[in-house]
Amino acid sequence: MRLLLSCLLALVPVAAHAQTPPAARAAAPTPASAFEARAKELATLLADAAGYDSFFSPGFRAAVPRDKFEPTRASLQEANGPVTGVRIRAMTSPWAGTLEVDYRDAVATVEMVVDATEPHQVSGLRITNVSGREKSTDEVAAAIRTLHGTTGFALARLGNGAPELLIQHQPDRPFAIGSAFKLIILAELVRATNAGERKWNDMVTLDGTPLPGGGYFMKPKGTQVSLRELATQMISISDNSATDILLHTLGREKVEAMLPVVGVKDPVRNRPFLGALELFKLKGIEANNLATRYLAENEAGRRRMLDGEIAGLPLLLIKPTLFRDGKPVLIEQLEWFLSPPTWCA
């Protein structure tokens, strides 16, 4: 539930800087005092990067410029609240150790290396983990319930049979599932191959139908690609172009028929089952009140719009800034929707 920021996980190789000070510099501060001083300063730096130049060594600043460090620092604070303290968990050498940084809502584990030579700047910093403060599933559930907006979840134990539901919150409320809709398409492909209707090595010939962004967006008409490759790209990297090719190949109605099979009790809200590009057009083309007119139609009318007007609209009409501000667009009206327990199933 916390934002785990992997972009800080390998700023510089920590171990390479773990060295013992030369004997000639024996009068310098002890490793423990120098390391402890920098650990205390880290709390201030993570709250405000004003001391970046004096805190980090020249080698670190070259590897991780301030303009790269600052957005990550700010994102950590935005996701987890302000820093409330730093403590040393263990020393792995005289000049290197592991810290725990307390944020309001999380604890970050940090490996830090301090230069053995004055002014004992930090030459290695690596955040290896960010975890929430909740220690039990009940605490996690309570925290989710207090989040802003509308929340719902289902926690289930998976095994050989049906998922064993353990904790639920608003279990009957459908939520937008985003790119997870691609698993419904995969379910139909698995059904078709299991039934012998298709083979994983069957080839699909691209017919020139416009595609959303992805690995097949610029492929010429006539290009052949296997169902296995398309499914792999759709799931492994959420390739939208592979997704729409599969939906077109398998058939919208076939995919819709899988909704009750996978446990969707009320599949009407997901019909017609939209492709990625169709959704982008509906959300991103503002001319002629496209989305408003689509939502006002019944299911049959929506199908006519998808196959006619919407299919013919050029991609250039999609607003180029769509989704760039991070704000959802018509999230309650235009999406793919499932309840939490159904999604567990």
Side-chain angles (χ1 to χ4, degrees), residues 256 259 264 266-273 335-338:
E256 290 168 350
L259 291 168
V264 180
D266 183 16
V268 173
R269 194 173 183 182
N270 291 295
R271 298 198 311 247
F273 195 89
E335 252 279 355
W336 303 271
F337 300 93
L338 288 181

Side-chain angles (χ1 to χ4, degrees), residues 252 272 274 278 282 294 302-308 310-311:
R252 195 192 308 273
L274 295 171
E278 291 169 335
L282 285 166
Y294 177 83
R302 292 180 181 185
R303 290 186 190 276
R304 285 193 297 269
M305 285 187 68
L306 290 174
D307 294 337
I310 293 174

Side-chain angles (χ1 to χ4, degrees), residues 4-327:
L4 305 183
L5 293 162
S6 59
C7 45
L8 261 178
L9 294 184
L11 292 178
V12 291
V14 172
H17 297 276
Q19 55 187 350
T20 304
R25 297 190 178 95
T30 65
S33 64
F35 188 91
E36 183 178 359
R38 289 301 185 186
K40 291 179 179 178
E41 291 175 16
L42 180 61
T44 301
L45 182 79
L46 291 175
D48 182 351
Y52 170 87
D53 290 334
S54 60
F55 185 82
F56 289 115
S57 68
F60 185 97
R61 297 198 302 270
V64 187
R66 183 170 180 166
D67 61 359
K68 179 180 178 182
F69 177 82
E70 170 57 22
T72 305
R73 180 208 65 79
S75 295
L76 276 166
Q77 185 165 285
E78 180 181 358
N80 304 301
V83 177
T84 60
V86 175
R87 59 185 175 274
I88 300 173
R89 189 170 77 180
M91 297 294 294
T92 54
S93 80
W95 298 90
T98 302
L99 311 173
E100 288 184 341
V101 179
D102 287 319
Y103 287 86
R104 182 195 62 207
D105 302 325
V107 178
T109 304
V110 180
E111 295 177 2
M112 187 175 76
V113 175
V114 174
D115 273 346
T117 57
E118 293 184 354
H120 306 295
Q121 292 175 307
V122 171
S123 55
L125 187 72
R126 181 167 59 199
I127 296 180
T128 59
N129 184 53
V130 181
S131 60
R133 294 187 173 279
E134 295 79 20
K135 303 300 182 184
S136 68
T137 54
D138 288 338
E139 289 182 6
V140 171
I144 292 176
R145 291 187 180 99
T146 62
L147 292 175
H148 296 294
T150 303
T151 62
F153 69 91
L155 176 65
R157 178 180 289 112
L158 303 182
N160 294 328
E164 178 188 354
L165 292 170
L166 304 176
I167 304 176
Q168 301 180 69
H169 172 52
Q170 294 211 79
D172 298 325
R173 190 188 192 284
F175 290 88
I177 60 173
S179 283
F181 84 96
K182 294 164 184 176
L183 288 176
I184 307 296
I185 299 174
L186 181 65
E188 166 53 22
L189 179 56
V190 170
R191 184 208 64 79
T193 54
N194 286 347
E197 298 171 11
R198 298 180 183 273
K199 297 182 175 64
W200 287 101
N201 292 328
D202 286 349
M203 303 302 290
V204 177
T205 302
L206 303 191
D207 60 5
T209 300
L211 294 168
Y216 307 95
F217 175 69
M218 298 296 291
K219 296 291 185 182
K221 182 179 179 179
T223 298
Q224 290 195 318
V225 58
S226 71
L227 292 175
R228 183 186 301 279
E229 179 183 322
L230 290 168
T232 299
Q233 295 303 100
M234 177 177 71
I235 299 302
S236 65
I237 62 172
S238 197
D239 188 299
N240 287 323
S241 61
T243 299
D244 278 13
I245 295 168
L246 280 174
L247 179 61
H248 175 74
T249 301
L250 298 173
R252 195 192 308 273
E253 290 77 12
K254 288 282 191 178
V255 173
E256 290 168 350
M258 285 303 298
L259 291 168
V261 174
V262 299
V264 180
K265 295 179 181 178
D266 183 16
V268 173
R269 194 173 183 182
N270 291 295
R271 298 198 311 247
F273 195 89
L274 295 171
L277 183 56
E278 291 169 335
L279 188 79
F280 297 156
K281 287 182 177 181
L282 285 166
K283 288 178 181 276
I285 297 179
E286 298 174 340
N288 299 321
N289 298 313
L290 183 66
T292 301
R293 290 190 292 111
Y294 177 83
L295 291 169
E297 293 280 355
N298 59 20
E299 183 177 321
R302 292 180 181 185
R303 290 186 190 276
R304 285 193 297 269
M305 285 187 68
L306 290 174
D307 294 337
E309 176 185 357
I310 293 174
L313 291 171
L315 277 64
L316 290 175
L317 292 180
I318 300 175
K319 185 169 57 176
T321 57
L322 183 65
F323 305 133
R324 286 186 184 174
D325 61 2
K327 297 179 180 179

